[in-house]
Amino acid sequence: MLMPQKLVVVFTPNRQSLTGVLELAQRATKYRKQSDDLRPLVVFPLPSRIEAAEPTLREHWRFGNSEQHISGYQLQFEDLFKEVYALTECNLTAYFDEIQVQHVSRYAYGEEVAALIERSSDRLSLTRSYKSFTERLVNLADPWDQGLPDPWEERNQRHEFTEQALVVNSSQGLRIESERIRERRIFISFKHGVEPDEPIALQIFQALSRHHQVFIDQMMTVGTPWAERIEAEIRQSDFLISLLSAQSVHSEMVLGEIEMAHHLAEEQAGKPIILPIRLNYREPFAYPLSAYLNGINWAFWENAADTSRLLQELIQAIAGNTLSLDTDASKANLIQTASPITIPPPLPAAQLTPLEMPEGTMDTESRFYVERPNDTIALSTIQQTGKGVTITIKGPRQMGKSSLLVRTIDAAVTVGKRVAFLDFQLFDKTALTNPEPFFRQFCAWLTDELEMDSQVDAYWAMPLGNSQRCTRYMQRYLLKELGSPLVLAMDELESVFDTNFRSDFFSMLRSWHNSRATSPIWRQLDLALVTSTEPYQLIENLNQSPFNVGLVIDLTDFTFDQMADLNQRHGSPLNAEQEQQLMCLLHGHPYLVRRALYLTASQQITVAELFGQAIDDRGPFGDHLRYHLFRMHDKKALVQGFMQVIKNNVCQDEQVFFRLRGAGLVRREGQTVLPRCQLYADYFREHLRE
C-alpha cells in the first residue's frame, strides 16, 4: 500500500489541541524516517475555529504572548519543521496569513456543509478558506513553499487530477481524500542506499508526483510479487528515468531495468522513453550500457545547485522536449573532463595496488584477474595463423567468460588479426522471432563492425535460403575483400537458443568450421563463441553443433587457493578463518568473491557487516540477489525447478537444470544438484514463491 505523502493536522487554538497535534506530527515524521519509505512525510497544519471577533486573542495564539505564557502556534510549527526537516530557517507567515479556518457558529450544529450551502466565495466565507487551503495542499511541496510559478498551471486548467492526502483532525480521527489524477506514468530507476542517487530519486519523485503517477521501488516486500510489480510498472510506464552515478552504472538492477525498458520500447511503439540522468558522472558508459544509452539524449547533474534546473528539464522532457545533452558534441564535451571514481582509501597493505570495482568485463591489464590453466591455451590457440580455429568458452553467468574473451581478442589483435565482436543480447526482439530479419541483421551488423560497405541487399536478392545467403556473403564478400584473418567473436549466444531457427544458425556456424578442410578462404576465419547455457540440450543434431568442436573451455568457480591469492592482492582484508568463512558462503563465485573483497578492502563495510548482512536486501550482495529474482520471476518452470533444488537437492527436468546452471544459480556434484553457493540457498529459500 502506498502511504500518504502529506499529513494534515487540524487543531484549535488551545494548549491541549495544539500540544496533541505537535506531538502527533513529530511521532509521524520520525516513524516515516525509520521506515523503508524514502519519501518524507510533509505536515500541513490547519488552524480551525478561529474567532474573527477576537483579534487580540487571535494574534496571541498565533504569534505568542510571554506574559500570558502562550506559545504561538506559528512559532511552534516553525521550530518543529526546522527540527524534523533539518531546515536552517522556516517562515510560515505567508502560509498562516492565508490558512485559517474561521469559526461560524451555524455549522457547529447539524449536518450542513458550508462549501455546499454558501453561494459567496469572498475572503470571509468558509468556502474561500477551504479552497485556499486545498490549493496549497495540492500545489505546494510544503507549507514553507512560497508558491513558485507552476509550469503545469495551464495544463491544470484542461485536465482533472487526483492526489492522496491524509487528513488528521485531533478530535475527529482520520480520513483519506482524493483530489488529483496523474497524467503520465513514470518509473524511477536508481541504486538504493547510495548518495546522491537515493536523495535525488526522492526529490524527482516528489516533484513529478504532483502531476503524474510515479513509481519508485522502496516500499515493497522483496519476493516474486516484487519482481512482477517491477516489470508491470516498467511495461506500463511512458518514461523510465534512470539515475546514473559512479556506483549505479555498475548496478545489476539498474542495468536490468534499462535493458527491459529498451526491449519493451521496441515492442510498444517507443514506450517507455528512457531519460538517462548522469549524476556527476563524466566517464564514457561501459558496455552494454553504452549500447542502450549512447544513442539517446542525456541530462547532467553535478551538485545540489543543479537540482532545480534538473527538475525543470525533466518536466519539459515529459512534456515533449529533449534533454539538454542532445548532440554528439555536447556529450563529448561532458566526458572529455572525466574525473576518477572516488572511493574510500584502501587498507594500508593494498595501497600499492589501486582497487578496481568488481563489476563488468575486466581490463586486460588488471592485476585482479585470476588466470586459470585454460587461459594460456586459449591465448596460444587464437594466435595460430593460416588454419582457422574455433574456441568455445562456456560457464555460468558471472564466471569471467567475457573477460577471457576480451583477452583472447587482444591476443588475436597482437598477431594482426581483424576482430568483429557481436553481443547477441543486443539483437532486436523482433529479429529473434523471424529468421529473415535475423540473418539480414547478422550480416549487416558484421559488415558495420568491419567498417565495410554493405552488400546485404544484393546477396539477399538471390533465391536462396537464409543460411546460404549468409554463407555466400561471408565467403564471397567479407572474407574475400578483407584478405586477412578475421576473428568473429560472439557473446551471449544463448539468446538464440529459444528461437525456432537456432538449428539453422548453429549448423551454419558448424559448416563454416568444417569448410576449412576443403576451402582455403575459410581458414581465414576464427570463431570465438561464448555461452552460459549448455547447448547440447537445445541442438537436435550434435553433428551440426559448433560448440563441441575445436577448443572447448569450461570455466569453473575459484578454488580456495585462487580466492586466497585474490584476498592478498586486495591487501588481505580477511584473515585465514574469514577466508574459510567466505568460501563456505560463496563457494568461490568469482564475481561475489571480488565484490566481497573490494567492499572490505575499500572499507565501505566491515568484515562483520559482510557476513552479518549477506542476505539483506540492502546488504553487500542485495543488488545482485534482487537482480536474479527480477530475471526469474516470470519463468515458472525455473522457479519451481530452483525450489526443488533448494528443498530436495534434485532437479527433475534436465533442460531446467541446464538453464539454472547457465544462469549461475545451481551446480551438480555427482547425482546431486545444489544451489551454487550457500548465499543463494539462504536468500532464495526465504524469497522464492511458486
Side-chain angles (χ1 to χ4, degrees), residues 192-410:
H192 294 77
V194 299
E195 293 188 359
D197 307 52
E198 197 163 287
I200 295 297
L202 175 57
Q203 289 177 292
I204 293 173
F205 178 85
Q206 290 176 319
L208 298 184
S209 291
R210 295 167 58 186
H211 306 283
H212 299 287
Q213 188 168 335
V214 185
F215 178 83
I216 186 169
D217 172 21
Q218 56 178 344
M219 296 158 289
M220 296 179 297
T221 301
V222 174
T224 305
W226 162 85
E228 291 172 351
R229 176 76 183 279
I230 293 292
E231 179 179 357
E233 291 292 341
I234 295 176
R235 184 177 295 277
Q236 297 175 75
S237 292
D238 298 296
F239 296 90
L240 181 135
I241 297 173
S242 183
L243 304 185
L244 301 158
S245 66
Q247 297 189 67
S248 68
V249 292
H250 301 292
S251 164
E252 293 179 81
M253 271 306 304
V254 170
L255 173 60
E257 288 163 354
I258 290 174
E259 285 178 341
M260 174 170 283
H262 173 83
H263 292 306
L264 285 173
E266 293 176 347
E267 302 173 1
Q268 300 180 161
K271 291 185 178 180
I273 296 170
I274 301 175
L275 301 177
I277 313 300
R278 284 175 168 267
L279 298 181
N280 198 25
Y281 181 67
R282 297 176 178 269
E283 298 288 333
F285 289 127
Y287 181 83
L289 271 181
S290 58
Y292 299 124
L293 303 180
N294 281 358
I296 61 179
N297 301 331
W298 312 333
F300 182 71
W301 176 97
E302 186 169 15
N303 52 45
D306 290 335
T307 302
S308 178
R309 175 195 53 77
L310 174 63
L311 295 177
Q312 289 297 319
E313 188 171 346
L314 286 173
I315 289 172
Q316 295 302 320
I318 293 166
N321 296 319
T322 63
L323 294 179
S324 55
L325 296 172
D326 56 357
T327 65
D328 291 341
S330 62
K331 294 175 183 177
N333 288 336
L334 178 71
I335 63 176
Q336 280 176 355
T337 56
S339 55
I341 297 173
T342 301
I343 61 173
L347 296 170
Q351 292 282 356
L352 296 179
T353 304
L355 296 177
E356 295 176 8
M357 297 184 75
E359 289 82 1
T361 302
M362 300 181 70
D363 187 88
T364 56
E365 302 299 323
S366 172
R367 299 182 183 182
F368 296 96
Y369 181 80
V370 176
E371 288 192 9
R372 285 126 157 165
N374 283 332
D375 284 22
T376 303
I377 300 174
L379 302 187
S380 61
T381 299
I382 201 66
Q383 289 185 321
Q384 297 176 16
T385 58
K387 55 187 295 185
V389 298
T390 298
I391 300 174
T392 296
I393 303 173
K394 296 191 306 178
R397 183 174 178 268
Q398 294 181 318
M399 188 65 78
K401 302 183 301 298
S402 295
S403 294
L404 177 55
L405 177 63
V406 167
R407 279 168 164 69
T408 304
I409 289 172
D410 187 62

Side-chain angles (χ1 to χ4, degrees), residues 27-43:
R27 291 201 309 271
T29 52
K30 181 179 180 181
Y31 177 82
R32 176 62 63 87
K33 288 180 181 179
Q34 295 172 344
S35 74
D36 292 332
D37 194 335
L38 297 178
R39 305 167 302 160
L41 181 64
V42 182
V43 176

Side-chain angles (χ1 to χ4, degrees), residues 574-590:
L574 307 183
N575 60 34
E577 182 180 351
Q578 291 163 345
E579 286 179 344
Q580 292 285 354
Q581 190 177 357
L582 189 66
M583 193 67 183
C584 291
L585 179 67
L586 302 181
H587 195 262
H589 187 304

Side-chain angles (χ1 to χ4, degrees), residues 11 26 44 58 147 162 169 187 220 296 403 443 470 491 536 580 590 646 690:
F11 63 93
Q26 191 165 43
F44 278 75
R58 190 168 76 247
T162 64
N169 187 308
F187 186 102
M220 296 179 297
I296 61 179
S403 294
C443 290
C470 198
D491 201 357
Y536 305 140
Q580 292 285 354
I646 292 172
E690 289 192 62

Side-chain angles (χ1 to χ4, degrees), residues 37-189:
D37 194 335
L38 297 178
R39 305 167 302 160
L41 181 64
V42 182
V43 176
F44 278 75
L46 179 58
S48 65
R49 296 179 63 85
I50 303 300
E51 180 54 69
E54 297 288 348
T56 302
L57 287 174
R58 190 168 76 247
E59 181 179 350
H60 289 172
W61 279 96
R62 177 178 172 183
F63 297 108
N65 185 304
S66 57
E67 294 180 359
Q68 298 184 26
H69 305 290
I70 298 175
S71 299
Y73 60 78
Q74 177 173 323
L75 299 177
Q76 292 187 72
F77 274 104
E78 288 173 346
D79 290 341
L80 174 68
F81 291 164
K82 284 190 285 188
E83 176 187 348
V84 299
Y85 300 121
L87 303 175
T88 56
E89 59 181 48
C90 178
N91 189 331
L92 298 178
T93 300
Y95 175 81
F96 282 122
D97 280 349
E98 295 294 329
I99 304 305
Q100 297 183 52
V101 178
Q102 62 269 40
H103 173 61
V104 178
S105 58
R106 170 179 176 173
Y107 298 112
Y109 301 93
E111 286 75 39
E112 291 182 333
V113 178
L116 299 179
I117 295 175
E118 291 184 341
R119 297 184 180 275
S120 172
S121 60
D122 61 37
R123 67 182 184 86
L124 298 178
S125 68
L126 281 174
T127 300
R128 174 67 174 271
S129 297
Y130 292 140
K131 182 179 180 182
S132 179
F133 175 70
T134 302
E135 288 176 347
R136 281 159 177 76
L137 179 64
V138 169
N139 293 317
L140 296 185
D142 43 62
W144 54 92
D145 187 339
Q146 297 302 307
L148 297 176
D150 188 352
W152 297 89
E153 182 176 355
E154 182 179 346
R155 289 191 171 204
N156 289 351
Q157 295 172 1
R158 301 196 305 266
H159 298 278
E160 184 180 357
F161 299 92
T162 64
E163 179 181 78
Q164 277 196 338
L166 179 62
V167 180
V168 177
N169 187 308
S170 59
S171 61
Q172 297 178 6
L174 311 178
R175 72 180 185 274
I176 298 290
E177 294 186 347
S178 294
E179 289 89 30
R180 305 185 346 140
I181 300 174
R182 289 157 178 84
E183 188 178 36
R184 298 279 189 172
R185 297 184 72 105
I186 299 168
F187 186 102
I188 300 176
S189 173

